[in-house]
């Protein structure tokens, strides 16, 4: 049911036609400053021929970095400019909410951070963000390594079987392997539950995939029929969705009960200084339950866990998938990466200290996120009238957008903008080491790695919002360092042991989008044990 031509946001286009027609029609007809914005007219075929974000890129080159996309009576403002993105995400963050994204995710994530109303979000963000503290992340490096080694052990076993048959390489869908790996890691890191999905199937794993599948379906379907009373009983896929949700909820409720039964209350500073080498359960759930003054009902905790399970799983799996896809087309970059892994790790295991030294591997993960941002679009809806600043390629005076305007910040366009990147479509991990001045672009500060001293990974600050892999401002991803370190470890462990090639041509790897950019039929690779002459 994954639709090749469909992007995460496309369904929202369609659904909103029904949901908000009158409101939007008013906005659309109201003209004003929005009326002077360049307009890209979308045809229905744009929604089916290929992922929407490709068309958004072409229109960006044609119409500039702030334009109106009109599908019939429905209009979106598409933003591909760092100054305007910074205004929406950071300087004016609370003039916007998540619009249709929240409608889609609420049935699954409840009042978790992504869809939560502002009051709940403020309360929970204050409690959850401190959970990703330095010692927790350090403890997680062991989890990342243990889990990555389970994946390599599985590949080695398959290769041993192949060797006994006289062959020296196996073919494997690395996207599927990385999906399992990321699921195991998020389960252990967030609620100390070992899905063990690298090596087995279970009802809970099936339920997690079923739920993700439904989230994707909802984000790519015209009419929100699941809101119709009785739909959950009458429509088979909705019955299955509620059955899957119940399995996951029961599992999470059990974990929450166990954590609460063994609660050891402490102040947040104390929790952040715990000796993780002596703790059996290093999970975020443990932290959230033990934190003094952060009492919360089980339902909210469950929503928090579910949100992180979904937000942290496919996204990281996608980074790893596209990093391997890009590397496999660049043998010299694989060699460079393997040379770094050999000199830093030898045959040893990654640690926080080695992550600090694995600079090239870190930049590979970051460059994969530049070329394949997850998600490719950020979605917002204006809660009040907002005056946007002028952008680089937009109207220098900016535009006034009325309350109710739906906005796509195209991270994909920003990350491949010819105005901010040299060779924007090429895979060049080294590019992040260079400083790039603002080229006289008024209001944009250019790239400067020194602007974020001590940061292990390039971020939106060094690029003044031209690079937004984790968003920016108050709603920025809470799991960014977790995900980047996880990706660094998983890539290092793979390259330490194996040589990787694509099975077919790069063009044969078709791209589809749901919540993230993924492949249509898997990332089929040929894997060999590394030879000693490497
Ligand atoms: C928010 C990307 C991994 C938890 C976000 C946002 C982005 C993002 C772009 C901002 C969305 C917006 O502004 O609309 C990613 C990517 C990841 C990743 C690319 C992997 C490479 C994770 C992980 C976790 C996580 C591992 C948790 C363990 C969250 C949460 C939010 C969020 C809770 C909502 C934050 C808020 O609204 O306060 N993520 N994420 N993410 N992410 Fe991530």
């Amino acid at each position: 049911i994954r639709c090749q031509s469909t992007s995460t946001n496309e369904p929202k286009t369609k659904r909103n036609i029904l949901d908000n027609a009158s409101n939007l029609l008013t906005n659309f007809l109201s003209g004003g400053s929005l009326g002077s914005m360049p307009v890209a007219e979308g045809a229905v075929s744009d929604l089916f021929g290929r992922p929407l974000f490709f068309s958004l890129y072409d229109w960006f080159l044609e119409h500039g970095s702030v334009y109106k996309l009109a599908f019939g009576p429905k209009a979106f403002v598409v933003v591909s400019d760092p100054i305007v993105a910074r205004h929406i995400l950071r300087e004016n963050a609370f003039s916007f909410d998540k619009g249709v994204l929240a409608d889609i995710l609420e049935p699954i994530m409840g009042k978790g951070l992504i869809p939560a109303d502002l009051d709940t979000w403020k309360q929970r963000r204050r409690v959850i963000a401190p959970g990703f503290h330095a010692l927790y992340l350090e403890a997680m490096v062991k989890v990342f390594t243990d889990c990555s080694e389970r994946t390599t052990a599985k590949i080695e076993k398959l290769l041993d079987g192949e060797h006994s048959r006289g062959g020296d390489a196996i073919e494997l869908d690395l996207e599927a392997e990385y999906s399992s790996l990321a699921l195991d890691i998020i389960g252990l890191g967030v609620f100390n539950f070992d899905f063990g999905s690298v090596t087995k199937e279970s009802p809970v794993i099936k339920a997690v995939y079923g739920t993700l599948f439904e989230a994707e379906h909802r984000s790519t379907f015209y009419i929100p029929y699941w809101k119709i009373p009785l739909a959950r009983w009458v429509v088979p896929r909705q019955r299955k969705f509620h059955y899957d949700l119940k399995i996951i909820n029961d599992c999470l409720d059990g974990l929450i009960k166990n954590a609460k039964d063994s609660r050891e209350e402490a102040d947040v500073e104390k929790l952040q200084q715990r000796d993780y080498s002596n703790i059996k359960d290093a999970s975020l759930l443990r932290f959230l339950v033990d934190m003094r003054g952060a009492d919360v009902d089980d339902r909210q905790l469950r929503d928090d866990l579910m949100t992180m399970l979904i937000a942290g799983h496919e996204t990281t799996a996608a980074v790893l998938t596209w990093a391997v896809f890009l590397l496999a087309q660049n043998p010299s970059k694989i060699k460079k990466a393997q040379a770094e892994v050999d000199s830093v790790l030898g045959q040893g295991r990654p640690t926080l200290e080695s992550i600090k030294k694995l600079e090239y591997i870190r930049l590979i993960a970051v460059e994969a996120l530049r070329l394949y941002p997850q998600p490719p679009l950020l979605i917002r809806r204006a809660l009040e009238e907002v005056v946007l600043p002028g952008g680089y390629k937009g109207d220098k005076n900016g535009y006034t957008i009325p309350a109710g305007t739906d906005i796509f910040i195209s991270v994909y366009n920003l990350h491949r903008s010819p105005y901010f990147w040299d060779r924007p479509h090429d895979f060049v991990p080294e590019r992040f080491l260079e400083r790039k001045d603002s080229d006289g672009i008024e209001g944009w500060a250019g790239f400067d790695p020194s602007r974020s001293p001590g940061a292990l990974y390039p971020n939106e600050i060094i690029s003044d919002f031209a690079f937004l892999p984790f968003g920016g401002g108050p709603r920025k991803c809470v799991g960014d360092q977790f995900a980047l370190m996880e990706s660094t470890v998983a890539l290092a462990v793979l390259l330490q042991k194996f040589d990787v090639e694509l099975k077919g041509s790069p063009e044969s790897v078709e791209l589809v989008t749901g919540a993230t950019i993924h492949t249509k039929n898997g990332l089929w690779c040929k894997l060999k044990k590394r030879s000693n002459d490497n």
Side-chain angles (χ1 to χ4, degrees):
I1 299 195
R2 283 179 179 178
C3 173
Q4 188 192 338
S5 60
T6 308
S7 90
T8 324
N9 307 289
E10 183 183 338
K12 295 147 206 160
T13 312
K14 301 163 199 162
R15 184 155 39 256
N16 265 359
I17 292 170
L18 296 169
D19 283 355
N20 302 317
S22 65
N23 185 18
L24 288 160
L25 201 57
T26 314
N27 292 342
F28 185 64
L29 298 173
S30 67
S33 300
L34 195 55
S36 63
M37 206 178 261
V39 181
E41 292 286 349
V44 173
S45 58
D46 292 319
L47 299 176
F48 291 98
R50 58 184 187 153
L52 179 68
F53 65 85
F54 281 164
S55 301
L56 296 187
Y57 189 78
D58 294 343
W59 290 321
F60 153 52
L61 298 182
E62 193 181 336
H63 299 291
S65 62
V66 180
Y67 64 85
K68 186 166 72 179
L69 172 62
F71 282 103
K74 173 72 180 122
F76 294 86
V77 171
V78 180
V79 171
S80 317
D81 180 278
I83 304 162
V84 184
R86 192 182 63 200
H87 185 84
I88 296 169
L89 295 176
R90 192 172 68 190
E91 285 146 17
N92 238 329
F94 297 117
S95 301
F96 300 89
D97 70 7
K98 301 250 173 136
V100 278
L101 185 69
D103 297 345
I104 291 170
L105 294 179
E106 196 273 335
I108 301 169
M109 298 181 179
K111 289 185 167 209
L113 280 186
I114 293 180
D117 59 274
L118 199 59
D119 284 344
T120 311
W121 172 81
K122 275 189 184 147
Q123 247 180 30
R124 297 310 292 158
R125 174 94 192 189
R126 251 200 313 265
V127 173
I128 291 170
F132 288 88
H133 57 89
L135 290 182
Y136 167 74
L137 291 172
E138 186 169 355
M140 284 302 108
V141 175
K142 182 172 179 310
V143 173
F144 304 154
T145 307
D146 290 347
C147 291
S148 300
E149 287 187 348
R150 291 207 294 223
T151 302
T152 50
K154 177 177 169 182
I155 298 173
E156 271 169 341
K157 202 167 157 201
L158 290 169
L159 274 167
D160 288 344
E162 188 59 27
H163 288 159
S164 66
R165 288 187 293 274
D168 69 344
I170 55 159
E171 291 176 356
L172 199 61
D173 172 8
L174 277 185
E175 185 175 52
E177 295 307 323
Y178 281 142
S179 184
S180 301
L181 172 61
L183 181 59
D184 287 0
I185 288 177
I186 206 79
L188 285 163
V190 175
F191 35 82
N192 196 34
F193 179 77
D194 192 354
F195 285 104
S197 66
V198 165
T199 47
K200 63 173 198 263
E201 283 243 320
S202 77
V204 185
I205 297 169
K206 283 191 185 153
V208 170
Y209 283 111
T211 306
L212 286 170
F213 191 59
E214 178 60 19
E216 191 158 295
H217 167 70
R218 289 182 176 201
S219 70
T220 54
F221 204 79
Y222 279 97
I223 302 162
Y225 65 86
W226 49 88
K227 285 188 178 168
I228 299 168
L230 295 184
R232 63 177 289 182
W233 309 111
V234 176
V235 182
R237 67 173 300 140
Q238 294 310 316
R239 274 211 308 273
K240 162 136 187 354
F241 169 62
H242 287 281
Y243 173 76
D244 285 343
L245 261 190
K246 182 165 176 354
I247 291 183
I248 305 174
N249 285 342
D250 288 350
C251 172
L252 293 179
D253 286 344
L255 295 167
I256 290 168
K257 182 173 182 314
N258 285 345
K260 284 199 163 171
D261 288 349
S262 52
R263 182 177 193 204
E264 287 181 29
E265 203 182 11
D267 291 332
V268 64
E269 296 76 19
K270 199 98 185 251
L271 290 175
Q272 289 181 330
Q273 286 157 18
R274 281 190 297 186
D275 176 5
Y276 275 89
S277 61
N278 274 326
I279 291 176
K280 262 176 105 184
D281 174 2
S283 73
L284 195 68
L285 173 61
R286 182 77 273 157
F287 180 95
L288 295 177
V289 166
D290 288 351
M291 192 198 283
R292 196 186 311 280
D295 296 322
V296 71
D297 62 48
D298 292 4
R299 178 67 199 258
Q300 179 64 52
L301 260 181
R302 196 176 78 193
D303 290 348
D304 293 336
L305 300 184
M306 181 71 108
T307 301
M308 284 185 272
L309 169 64
I310 292 182
H313 169 225
E314 275 210 331
T315 44
T316 316
V319 177
L320 291 167
T321 301
W322 294 113
V324 169
F325 174 73
L326 293 161
L327 272 174
Q329 295 168 66
N330 287 278
S332 66
K333 292 192 161 80
I334 292 200
K335 289 265 173 275
K336 184 170 170 183
Q338 285 176 328
E340 182 179 83
V341 171
D342 293 350
S343 91
V344 174
L345 296 182
Q347 291 306 306
R349 284 163 54 92
T351 59
L352 180 61
E353 281 318 300
S354 45
I355 291 179
K356 290 181 186 161
K357 293 183 192 143
L358 289 167
E359 180 179 66
Y360 196 58
I361 305 289
R362 294 202 308 271
L363 294 180
I364 287 169
V366 168
E367 178 72 342
L369 265 168
R370 184 184 69 82
L371 288 164
Y372 297 94
Q374 316 290 346
L377 306 173
L378 299 180
I379 296 167
R380 292 293 188 273
R381 182 178 293 154
L383 295 169
E384 58 199 8
E385 185 177 278
V386 177
V387 182
L388 297 178
Y392 173 49
K393 274 272 167 181
D395 184 328
K396 285 278 171 238
N397 299 317
Y399 299 99
T400 302
I401 54 167
T405 305
D406 282 303
I407 299 179
F408 291 160
I409 298 176
S410 174
V411 182
Y412 184 86
N413 289 0
L414 270 166
H415 284 190
R416 292 182 182 235
S417 170
Y419 311 116
F420 300 100
W421 306 92
D422 300 325
R423 294 157 62 204
H425 305 294
D426 290 358
F427 175 60
V428 188
E430 298 81 356
R431 67 169 78 241
F432 288 99
L433 298 171
E434 288 161 19
R435 197 193 140 102
K436 185 171 183 252
D437 290 326
S438 69
D439 291 337
I441 298 170
E442 199 185 325
W444 181 64
F447 290 96
D448 186 355
S450 73
R451 212 180 289 133
S452 192
L456 265 185
Y457 298 89
N459 55 31
E460 77 284 6
I461 307 297
I462 68 147
S463 64
D464 197 18
F465 280 67
F467 178 60
L468 285 179
F470 296 97
R475 306 297 297 256
K476 183 178 169 177
C477 180
V478 279
D480 60 338
Q481 299 305 301
F482 181 109
L484 287 167
M485 288 187 186
E486 171 183 356
S487 305
T488 307
V489 169
L491 284 174
V493 169
L494 181 88
L495 294 171
Q496 184 181 39
K497 303 251 160 53
F498 308 108
D499 284 321
V500 189
E501 276 174 41
L502 291 183
K503 184 184 159 199
S505 69
E507 294 72 36
S508 66
V509 178
E510 281 187 58
L511 188 150
V512 289
T513 50
T516 56
I517 309 173
H518 41 96
T519 72
K520 188 174 178 195
N521 296 312
L523 185 73
W524 284 90
C525 293
K526 276 192 216 159
L527 289 140
K528 272 187 197 170
K529 278 193 183 158
R530 278 182 66 191
S531 52
N532 291 332
D533 56 359
N534 276 307

